[in-house]
Amino acid sequence: MSAKAISEQTGKEFLYKYICTSAAVQNRFRYASVSAETDWDCLTQEHPWLLTERLVVKPDQLIKRRGKLGLVGIDLHLQGVQEWLKAHIMKETTVGKAKGVLKNFLIEPFVPHTQEEEFYVCIYATREGDHVLFHHEGGVEVGDVDAKAQRLMVAVDDKLSEDQVKEQLLTHVPDDKKEVLANFIVGLFNLYEDLYFTYLEINPLVVTKDGVYVLDMAAKIDATADYICKAKWGEVTFPPPFGREAYPEEAYIADLDAKSGASLKLTLLNPRGRIWTMVAGGGASVVYSDTICDLGGVDELANYGEYSGAPSEQQTYDYAKTILSLMTREKHCQGKVLIIGGSIANFTNVAATFKGIVRAIKDYQGPLKEHEVTIFVRRGGPNYQEGLRVMGEVGKTTGIPIHVFGTETHMTAIVGMALGHRPIPNQPPMDAHTANFLLNASNSAATPAATRTASFSEPRTSNDSTPAKKSKGGLPAEAQASSGCSGAKATTLFRKHTKAMVWGMQTRAVQGMLDFDYVCSRDEPSVAAMVYPFTGDHKQKFYWGHKEILVPVYKNMADAMKKHPEVDVMISFASLRSAFDSTMEAMQYPQIDTIAIIAEGIPEAQTRKLIKMADTKGVTIIGPATVGGIKPGCFKIGNTGGMLDNILASKLYRPGSVAYVSRSGGMSNELNNIISRTTDGVYEGVAIGGDRYPGSTFMDHVLRYQDTPGIQMIVVLGEIGGTEEYKICQGIREGRITKPVVCWCIGTCATMFASEVQFGHAGACANQASETAVAKNQALRDAGAYVPKSFDELGDVIKTVYDELVADGTIIPAQEVPPPTVPMDYSWARELGLIRKPASFMTSICDERGQELIYAGMPITEVFKEEMGLGGVLGLLWFQRRLPRYACQFIEMCLMVTADHGPAVSGAHNTIVCARAGKDLISSLTSGLLTIGDRFGGALDAAAKQFSKAFDSGMLPMEFVNKMKKDGKLIMGIGHRVKSINNPDMRVQILKDFVKQNFPSTQLLDYALDVEKITTSKKPNLILNVDGFIGVAFVDLLRTCGGFTRDEADEFVEIGALNGIFVLGRSMGFIGHYLDQKRLKQGLYRHPWDDISYVLPEHMSM
């Protein structure tokens, strides 16, 4: 959602902080917020004026007309305020249809004034610009300001001047107040623009001889502009509409949404309700809510929400478990139903998202059965068959009744089943598997022969031979011809030879476009080039049928446009932060006729500037917040239409006779499905996007369809919010639209809710009665459009109209041509489980693919929660075990004692020499590590092996010493250059004390210490050194900690795990020496001559 209401306190804080005006704004920051928990002593200390001034108190909870409702205490002292609050605070109140508890209040100084000093001012945004309303009689009795007020529209990018205000708004204001009011209103308008307000109302605005007073204020800001206004806004809390509580679960989902590239929404309507929904898609979620309410479930509907935009398995799991947790808190006498619905996805992997939902169902299977929950599932899209299979399986294994349906079932049919209005089929027919559509059965690798590429009623040549015809939307053809409008837009957006440029490295979307081109028998790919500013110019590899081709990628748009003058469509996958700049840049090139903006969340003020520029340049914008559009047989935008299985199932590889326009991307794919099942198919379809101000409107596209010969009927899927559908009504009545129009506006449930609900699309919110879906459906019906009774009947009405057109000869059905086939991508075939391939690598210690990093089966959050430390992590990654606490401590001690042994040892010496030669950290560290071996540091493994072999074979310590001497071998781990029995190594002593105190058994260590007694009796420095001690102690650890079998313990010694302890520990020291040399700025090392013994052969004469 973009426009969000803020509290009066927040609005006034913004105004007082940032308004720039010479008018004397009084009572700046003089307000105090009060709730049931308020400490009055602290409050009066913070706001001492509360003790001295007369006061006003009112609730600050987005309640309109508080004065008329008697919810304002006026001209009270502090005690009077407290008494007034006792009568109101935490009391349930009814405002309109909404019941709510009064919790938050605002106290401000009372301003004595006369009625003549009260004024009304309001600024609100529309598509064309910002409207400033002013009335010289403000206050409680202001009445119908729309009818009374003076108004002034400031066009997008224009500025408001004081002269305009005086001339057009202040005609009934006394002369002595005009200057102050004009200056204040201009300052208010600039504030409104700078802080991205979408609505700002002050009533009354009081002007006295002392200055300007802002008494009551209501405001909305564009929440999508947070990244622009964060420094000024700070942390903004958006209160819920009055009558609806703010639940922590809603805040949790909102936080998930903010951290995700996907869309996750949740609004709790009635937590005790028995009907719960988990719907994919902003448009689909509204349709399901509509259907539930139409079938009488409004009082039992528990929630509104949606997940879309390809959320990960973990994100879907978090979303699903939140809903399952909420619905299993209170039992219902009739049991509960969960509707897991959705339209046909364009790009979301249904199986992947369903895995998250299945995980949540398994976790909550007990409570779900206890609360008698029945689940109904309907979904389509990429890999949906696997998703439905998994969902059906979890129903069988858990015993939870789960009814599963695919695209063969009407989208909202499961609602009737869930509510008992229609029977549940035992075995619903399943559509063919994805693979059946995609695998090429023929042996031919050639491009498929041309299939049907023209509509039933359109000559095949007309689509390509007619030049682009630009029309001025909303005007008849003859009026367009005489208008001389330089910004006229094309009637035909896409052709068989349309070439596009893609902004962004969206390889999957581009491959989908190329596969669509191939299956439509296009001669060439529709994507000419890509633009991606974050890499240098290069070529990107794609498939054209079975062949690999290269598509150029450019760092900047100017180069791409220059080298590809044939491109006339730009598809922008730019992020919401960069979409505005990249789109403005694209419109500077006259070759571009159409731009699709996929990004969701572009601030409305920026979108309006894009629209203005597009109108000037004659560019058609599809989006923002859209999946795009499709013209079967010609061209598709990005991920529109989904994957090839859906394109083939919905017959999108060839044109039909029906054109549609929708707001929702997911619902546009559902329309593809409905139209393909009830008519000869789609001629063209566009999803204009869910934002409040889409780049092109319903009427723009309906008029294009009206003027396109191949289109015989039009389908419009409208939506609550805005008034664009009324232009269609006008067009039908005036005879501008003569083709049959089937139309349905979703969001009819909104009028049934007690409090305002913001649906998934930013524009899906009615600000007045005429913007409701119910009002628009009735107006369309009255104008002569074909309007069904509900979305459930949309397909039936489309079929009825189509059949009539066939019956009267307008449409002549053509013979269906079998679709061509496209080779399936290897990665997708593997995803579907159709092929297998041996992996190049195997790993059993770490998995980074999911939402959370996993070490040997343990999530990283658990590692930190359990405070496992470095030793515990090493145990997981090296030994795939969760080691006992003492074992982890021992590992960490080993790392500490082996970290360094001075600069003289060979490894440190090499590291230092390398560092002083100017080499980098990695090279210097590697130089030191390469010296580790049997003679330096690598004795851990060797010592462990030698002592273990001798001990396990039953040799006495003396026998072991004698045998090694006889064989002429050194005993690894015995001996030290400096330390001796008389000068013991404290590192060994520390470790020995710990091991003796904590290890269950130290048999091998005891054996090694007996060997030490023998060797030191011969020479005092033949002690068990730190390498030897760690080696034998580690063997004792592996054999006796209880986590390993004897064979496993021996295997770890054999494969060199123990030397890893020294390597890891000593790396810390080597890095320290490297940093030390760099910090000391030591120069190139050259060994001194006097430390080298030059032993050359005597001179020999020949």
Side-chain angles (χ1 to χ4, degrees):
M1 177 185 179
S2 52
K4 286 189 177 182
I6 54 177
S7 66
E8 183 174 3
Q9 179 179 342
T10 302
K12 285 183 173 176
E13 182 180 336
F14 289 169
L15 187 147
Y16 293 147
K17 272 186 182 178
Y18 301 115
I19 192 167
C20 185
T21 175
S22 60
V25 179
Q26 301 297 318
N27 284 341
R28 285 179 184 254
F29 304 107
R30 299 185 83 192
Y31 46 72
S33 182
V34 177
S35 66
E37 294 79 33
T38 296
D39 183 324
W40 286 92
D41 291 334
C42 293
L43 191 71
T44 52
Q45 285 180 11
E46 188 178 350
H47 305 285
W49 51 267
L50 290 170
L51 299 169
T52 58
E53 299 199 24
R54 304 295 290 182
L55 304 169
V56 173
V57 59
K58 54 194 172 184
D60 189 6
Q61 290 179 236
L62 309 184
I63 300 173
K64 299 175 181 177
R65 302 177 186 86
R66 290 169 294 187
K68 283 198 169 185
L69 294 169
L71 293 178
V72 182
I74 299 173
D75 195 14
L76 304 172
H77 49 62
L78 184 59
Q79 186 178 348
V81 167
Q82 291 171 325
E83 290 171 0
W84 188 92
L85 282 170
K86 281 180 186 176
H88 293 86
I89 201 162
M90 300 308 292
K91 298 291 192 296
E92 187 174 80
T93 303
T94 301
V95 178
K97 291 192 295 183
K99 281 186 179 180
V101 177
L102 299 173
K103 295 179 178 180
N104 303 310
F105 293 82
L106 204 60
I107 305 174
E108 296 178 299
F110 172 68
V111 180
H113 62 276
T114 64
Q115 175 63 45
E116 291 71 29
E117 293 172 324
E118 289 188 349
F119 302 94
Y120 173 91
V121 63
C122 176
I123 311 172
Y124 65 91
T126 63
R127 184 182 182 86
E128 297 77 20
D130 297 293
H131 293 260
V132 185
L133 272 61
F134 180 85
H135 192 45
H136 63 285
E137 294 174 345
V140 176
E141 303 298 334
V142 68
D144 184 3
V145 290
D146 280 332
K148 291 181 178 180
Q150 305 290 107
R151 64 177 61 233
L152 167 64
M153 204 273 277
V154 184
V156 175
D157 269 346
D158 285 0
K159 291 296 178 185
L160 181 65
S161 70
E162 290 187 34
D163 289 340
Q164 285 177 293
V165 172
K166 290 175 188 176
E167 291 169 12
Q168 299 184 47
L169 298 179
L170 307 183
T171 52
H172 301 296
V173 172
D175 291 341
D176 62 325
K177 289 187 170 61
K178 281 188 177 179
E179 198 65 42
V180 172
L181 274 169
N183 190 272
F184 178 81
I185 290 171
V186 170
L188 189 69
F189 184 83
N190 292 337
L191 170 85
Y192 166 95
E193 281 195 323
D194 292 344
L195 266 65
Y196 284 75
F197 281 86
T198 61
Y199 180 86
L200 202 168
E201 180 187 59
I202 301 173
N203 181 39
L205 174 69
V206 170
V207 182
T208 70
K209 57 182 176 54
D210 298 321
V212 177
Y213 296 86
V214 178
L215 295 198
D216 284 355
M217 180 176 175
K220 292 182 179 181
I221 57 175
D222 186 348
T224 60
D226 179 70
Y227 72 98
I228 300 171
C229 300
K230 185 75 172 177
K232 289 185 175 181
W233 284 357
E235 293 297 330
V236 179
T237 300
F238 296 103
F242 182 73
R244 210 174 67 229
E245 295 296 316
Y247 293 91
E249 291 82 4
E250 293 176 335
Y252 171 70
I253 296 300
D255 185 56
L256 283 181
D257 180 58
K259 295 174 181 175
S260 164
S263 176
L264 302 165
K265 304 286 188 294
L266 175 63
T267 299
L268 288 176
L269 303 172
N270 173 17
R272 296 181 177 179
R274 66 178 292 262
I275 306 168
W276 291 76
T277 64
M278 196 185 307
V279 180
S285 60
V286 180
V287 171
Y288 276 97
S289 297
D290 284 351
T291 309
I292 291 167
C293 294
D294 287 343
L295 296 179
V298 63
D299 294 330
E300 291 290 351
L301 181 57
N303 71 307
Y304 167 78
E306 62 107 356
Y307 66 96
S308 58
S312 67
E313 179 185 332
Q314 183 63 37
Q315 289 164 343
T316 315
Y317 168 75
D318 292 336
Y319 185 82
K321 75 175 183 181
T322 303
I323 290 178
L324 297 184
S325 168
L326 285 163
M327 73 180 298
T328 54
R329 291 179 186 177
E330 291 188 40
K331 289 187 176 180
H332 195 285
C333 59
Q334 295 177 270
K336 296 186 178 183
V337 294
L338 173 61
I339 295 170
I340 301 176
S343 56
I344 301 172
N346 287 289
F347 56 89
T348 298
N349 185 332
V350 174
T353 56
F354 271 16
K355 284 178 185 175
I357 297 175
V358 164
R359 275 176 55 200
I361 290 172
K362 287 179 179 176
D363 288 352
Y364 279 85
Q365 58 182 295
L368 287 171
K369 286 190 279 190
E370 184 185 341
H371 287 74
E372 300 178 65
V373 174
T374 305
I375 300 175
F376 293 83
V377 182
R378 191 275 185 183
R379 194 74 163 104
N383 208 8
Y384 80 93
Q385 296 93 343
E386 175 64 13
L388 297 181
R389 185 194 68 77
V390 170
M391 196 68 78
E393 285 296 318
V394 78
K396 293 174 185 174
T397 56
T398 61
I400 299 167
I402 300 180
H403 305 282
V404 177
F405 304 90
T407 56
E408 77 292 335
T409 302
H410 185 69
M411 192 177 97
T412 52
I414 59 171
V415 177
M417 299 176 202
L419 273 58
H421 290 270
R422 67 166 74 193
I424 304 170
N426 291 327
Q427 286 186 326
M430 293 295 290
D431 278 348
H433 194 277
T434 304
N436 295 356
F437 287 112
L438 302 182
L439 288 176
N440 195 340
S442 71
N443 295 321
S444 170
T447 301
T451 57
R452 185 181 120 207
T453 57
S455 174
F456 290 112
S457 55
E458 180 189 20
R460 200 179 143 191
T461 55
S462 66
N463 199 33
D464 291 328
S465 60
T466 307
K469 175 180 146 191
K470 294 207 169 187
S471 65
K472 189 175 180 184
L475 292 179
E478 56 272 17
Q480 295 164 21
S482 61
S483 67
C485 177
S486 62
K489 298 181 181 181
T491 296
T492 304
L493 301 183
F494 313 117
R495 291 184 173 69
K496 189 78 173 172
H497 301 292
T498 291
K499 289 283 188 176
M501 190 172 294
V502 175
W503 199 106
M505 191 54 69
Q506 289 287 328
T507 54
R508 179 178 168 184
V510 171
Q511 185 60 64
M513 291 176 67
L514 300 186
D515 287 342
F516 176 80
D517 298 339
Y518 187 83
V519 85
C520 292
S521 304
R522 276 184 59 128
D523 297 329
E524 293 180 323
S526 60
V527 179
M530 300 170 71
V531 177
Y532 193 60
F534 307 106
T535 61
D537 291 0
H538 66 283
K539 297 279 201 301
Q540 187 73 29
K541 189 164 63 175
F542 291 99
Y543 284 101
W544 175 250
H546 66 285
K547 297 185 297 185
E548 287 186 311
I549 61 170
L550 296 174
V551 173
V553 182
Y554 299 93
K555 186 174 176 63
N556 66 74
M557 199 182 295
D559 291 345
M561 294 291 183
K562 184 177 179 181
K563 293 179 181 178
H564 299 277
E566 74 279 13
V567 165
D568 61 356
V569 175
M570 165 68 80
I571 302 171
S572 174
F573 285 95
S575 71
L576 62 93
R577 288 173 172 81
S578 55
F580 175 76
D581 291 333
S582 58
T583 305
M584 291 294 271
E585 182 185 359
M587 283 192 281
Q588 302 309 312
Y589 299 95
Q591 68 193 77
I592 297 298
D593 292 329
T594 307
I595 300 175
I597 306 171
I598 310 302
E600 182 178 0
I602 299 172
E604 290 177 356
Q606 292 187 346
T607 301
R608 294 190 304 168
K609 291 178 181 178
L610 292 175
I611 293 168
K612 183 175 182 179
M613 176 65 76
D615 289 343
T616 303
K617 299 281 188 179
V619 174
T620 298
I621 291 181
I622 298 173
T626 183
V627 72
I630 190 165
K631 189 169 184 181
C634 288
F635 183 84
K636 86 169 184 128
I637 296 170
N639 295 303
T640 310
M643 297 190 67
L644 270 183
D645 58 338
N646 187 66
I647 285 166
L648 295 169
S650 296
K651 303 181 179 67
L652 297 175
Y653 52 87
R654 52 62 171 175
S657 304
V658 183
Y660 71 80
V661 58
S662 158
R663 272 187 170 272
S664 165
M667 290 306 299
S668 71
N669 218 5
E670 195 63 42
L671 287 176
N672 290 330
N673 180 48
I674 292 170
I675 292 170
S676 72
R677 290 173 184 272
T678 55
T679 73
D680 65 349
V682 175
Y683 182 95
E684 184 178 344
V686 171
I688 61 174
D691 280 0
R692 206 149 65 115
Y693 308 122
S696 52
T697 64
F698 286 136
M699 192 60 170
D700 292 335
H701 295 286
V702 169
L703 289 175
R704 285 198 308 106
Y705 298 158
Q706 171 66 31
D707 295 338
T708 302
I711 296 169
Q712 303 305 332
M713 64 178 283
I714 301 166
V715 176
V716 178
L717 190 64
E719 187 170 276
I720 180 177
T723 58
E724 186 62 30
E725 291 85 351
Y726 291 103
K727 294 181 182 178
I728 298 175
C729 298
Q730 183 182 352
I732 295 172
R733 281 195 297 265
E734 293 176 355
R736 177 69 178 94
I737 302 169
T738 57
K739 293 176 180 177
V741 177
V742 178
C743 192
W744 176 252
C745 296
I746 65 174
T748 54
C749 62
T751 52
M752 304 183 196
F753 295 147
S755 61
E756 180 186 312
V757 175
Q758 172 61 51
F759 296 111
H761 293 158
C765 183
N767 295 312
Q768 53 194 19
S770 62
E771 294 188 15
T772 64
V774 172
K776 291 195 281 191
N777 283 330
Q778 188 57 50
L780 286 158
R781 193 176 287 117
D782 294 343
Y786 295 86
V787 181
K789 293 178 182 176
S790 68
F791 181 82
D792 258 353
E793 297 182 7
L794 180 62
D796 297 335
V797 173
I798 291 173
K799 186 176 189 313
T800 300
V801 175
Y802 172 77
D803 289 345
E804 290 174 0
L805 292 172
V806 172
D808 66 20
T810 304
I811 295 175
I812 302 171
Q815 185 176 355
E816 191 62 62
V817 178
T821 53
V822 177
M824 185 186 292
D825 278 350
Y826 170 81
S827 59
W828 189 240
R830 188 172 183 184
E831 176 79 22
L832 295 174
L834 301 175
I835 58 173
R836 61 188 181 192
K837 167 187 172 292
S840 301
F841 286 97
M842 293 180 69
T843 180
S844 59
I845 63 168
C846 184
D847 190 345
E848 82 289 3
R849 295 171 298 172
Q851 184 80 1
E852 189 174 355
L853 182 64
I854 295 175
Y855 288 164
M858 192 171 191
I860 191 69
T861 51
E862 290 297 315
V863 172
F864 281 94
K865 193 182 295 182
E866 298 291 331
E867 298 183 351
M868 295 183 67
L870 187 58
V873 171
L874 192 145
L876 293 173
L877 295 180
W878 287 18
F879 306 113
Q880 295 179 298
R881 303 288 193 282
R882 183 167 180 182
L883 300 177
R885 176 70 66 183
Y886 71 83
C888 298
Q889 286 181 264
F890 177 68
I891 290 172
E892 291 175 7
M893 291 174 71
C894 291
L895 295 175
M896 292 162 70
V897 300
T898 59
D900 196 42
H901 205 222
V905 297
S906 57
H909 180 82
N910 265 24
T911 302
I912 291 169
V913 171
C914 237
R916 291 178 61 170
K919 301 296 285 185
D920 60 276
L921 172 63
I922 306 301
S923 302
S924 303
L925 174 61
T926 304
S927 171
L929 291 175
L930 288 174
T931 65
I932 295 175
D934 287 348
R935 293 191 174 189
F936 167 61
L940 279 75
D941 280 336
K945 290 173 184 176
Q946 285 183 356
F947 282 105
S948 297
K949 184 177 180 183
F951 176 77
D952 294 340
S953 65
M955 277 188 191
L956 294 174
M958 181 61 77
E959 291 175 329
F960 171 54
V961 173
N962 291 339
K963 183 178 185 306
M964 296 298 286
K965 183 177 181 181
K966 182 180 178 182
D967 294 343
K969 295 180 180 177
L970 296 172
I971 301 175
M972 305 307 293
I974 293 289
H976 200 283
R977 289 195 60 176
V978 178
K979 300 298 180 180
S980 67
I981 194 74
N982 303 312
N983 178 25
D985 188 339
M986 292 309 298
R987 298 178 298 173
V988 174
Q989 193 61 46
I990 292 167
L991 292 174
K992 188 193 300 183
D993 292 343
F994 180 84
V995 168
K996 286 292 186 181
Q997 189 175 343
N998 292 282
F999 280 25
S1001 174
T1002 57
Q1003 286 183 313
L1004 191 61
L1005 173 60
D1006 293 340
Y1007 183 82
L1009 292 173
D1010 287 342
V1011 169
E1012 181 189 49
K1013 289 176 184 176
I1014 297 169
T1015 56
T1016 52
S1017 66
K1018 300 176 183 293
K1019 201 172 181 181
N1021 69 330
L1022 295 180
I1023 58 172
L1024 182 64
N1025 60 35
V1026 71
D1027 294 354
F1029 183 92
I1030 293 174
V1032 296
F1034 231 106
V1035 174
D1036 280 331
L1037 174 65
L1038 294 173
R1039 289 182 176 182
T1040 63
C1041 73
F1044 306 88
T1045 64
R1046 178 63 177 270
D1047 288 342
E1048 288 173 335
D1050 291 345
E1051 183 184 19
F1052 278 116
V1053 173
E1054 192 63 35
I1055 62 179
L1058 306 191
N1059 268 356
I1061 295 291
F1062 184 85
V1063 171
L1064 181 59
R1066 190 51 59 92
S1067 292
M1068 292 189 284
F1070 291 169
I1071 292 171
H1073 285 295
Y1074 170 85
L1075 297 175
D1076 186 50
Q1077 295 301 308
K1078 293 293 186 182
R1079 187 170 51 246
L1080 295 173
K1081 295 182 172 55
Q1082 294 296 288
L1084 179 66
Y1085 176 80
R1086 181 182 176 87
H1087 204 73
W1089 289 344
D1090 58 4
D1091 195 34
I1092 301 171
S1093 180
Y1094 292 90
V1095 186
L1096 300 177
E1098 296 280 340
H1099 173 68
M1100 296 175 62
S1101 58
M1102 295 299 293

